[in-house]
Amino acid sequence: MAKAKETQRLIANNKKAFHDYFIDDKYEAGIALHGTEVKSIRMGKCSIKEAFVRIENGEAYVYGMHVSPYEKGNIFNKDPLRVKKLLLHKYEINKLAGKIKEKGYTLVPLQVYFKEGKVKVEIGLARGKKLYDKREAIAKKDMRRETQREFKVKNL
């Protein structure tokens, strides 16, 4: 009996979230979409750079996620920036709502991808970075890049 290989195809990545926040926890959520939106996402026309997640009335919604209109969708196309519902278990939503009430926590989408034919969104429970934290992260990245460069030169 062969195991089915789990396939994941990345559509959109939010690098800005890793720069602006410390990611404490990650959750995988489904997303409620219409047909033309799924076709557009299949073509890779999705952006989550300015997106954020809110919990309202016991349900999670993603705001600011831009899904470009499908070219052949005509009247069936929806608003590119419409609010989309995230599909999470009730206990996950309650856990996240409790964490968000703590000072400094927020929910940000980290990436959008296809998993076994379904669109999934990875959301992160995040704490905001201060300016000195960002500078420290940039300095570490520069040092790591410099050591990689030196290592490469030595091994030639």
Side-chain angles (χ1 to χ4, degrees), residues 12-15 17-18 23 25-26 48 108-112 121-125:
N13 200 356
N14 193 353
K15 291 180 183 174
F18 290 100
I23 308 299
D25 245 346
K26 294 180 182 178
I48 54 172
V108 289
L110 302 175
Q111 58 185 13
V112 178
V121 179
E122 184 178 61
I123 57 175
L125 185 64

Side-chain angles (χ1 to χ4, degrees), residues 34-41 67-70 73 76-78:
H34 291 282
T36 55
E37 290 175 321
V38 175
K39 288 182 179 188
S40 186
I41 289 176
V67 178
S68 299
Y70 183 58
F76 299 107
N77 279 332
K78 301 290 180 189

Side-chain angles (χ1 to χ4, degrees), residues 11-132:
I11 305 299
N13 200 356
N14 193 353
K15 291 180 183 174
K16 188 178 173 196
F18 290 100
H19 181 263
D20 292 342
Y21 301 101
F22 292 113
I23 308 299
D24 289 350
D25 245 346
K26 294 180 182 178
Y27 295 89
E28 181 181 76
I31 185 166
L33 296 169
H34 291 282
T36 55
E37 290 175 321
V38 175
K39 288 182 179 188
S40 186
I41 289 176
R42 251 183 226 294
M43 293 169 66
K45 297 187 175 177
C46 174
S47 172
I48 54 172
K49 280 190 176 36
E50 300 296 322
F52 60 95
V53 178
R54 260 199 205 139
I55 295 177
E56 298 168 354
N57 303 327
E59 293 180 342
Y61 296 96
V62 64
Y63 291 81
M65 179 178 164
H66 187 277
V67 178
S68 299
Y70 183 58
E71 295 152 5
K72 300 177 180 114
N74 57 43
I75 61 167
F76 299 107
N77 279 332
K78 301 290 180 189
D79 177 34
L81 287 171
R82 79 177 180 87
V83 179
K84 294 155 189 75
K85 183 177 174 182
L86 293 178
L87 309 172
L88 287 161
H89 291 284
K90 189 61 84 178
Y91 68 89
E92 288 177 318
I93 293 172
N94 292 338
K95 184 177 177 183
L96 289 171
K99 285 281 193 178
I100 288 175
K101 287 191 174 115
E102 291 179 28
K103 189 173 186 282
Y105 277 106
T106 187
L107 287 172
V108 289
L110 302 175
Q111 58 185 13
V112 178
Y113 54 92
F114 275 101
K115 183 178 179 182
E116 298 172 8
K118 294 181 175 52
V119 180
K120 301 287 182 180
V121 179
E122 184 178 61
I123 57 175
L125 185 64
R127 281 182 296 124
K129 281 187 182 177
K130 302 280 190 251
L131 185 61
Y132 58 84

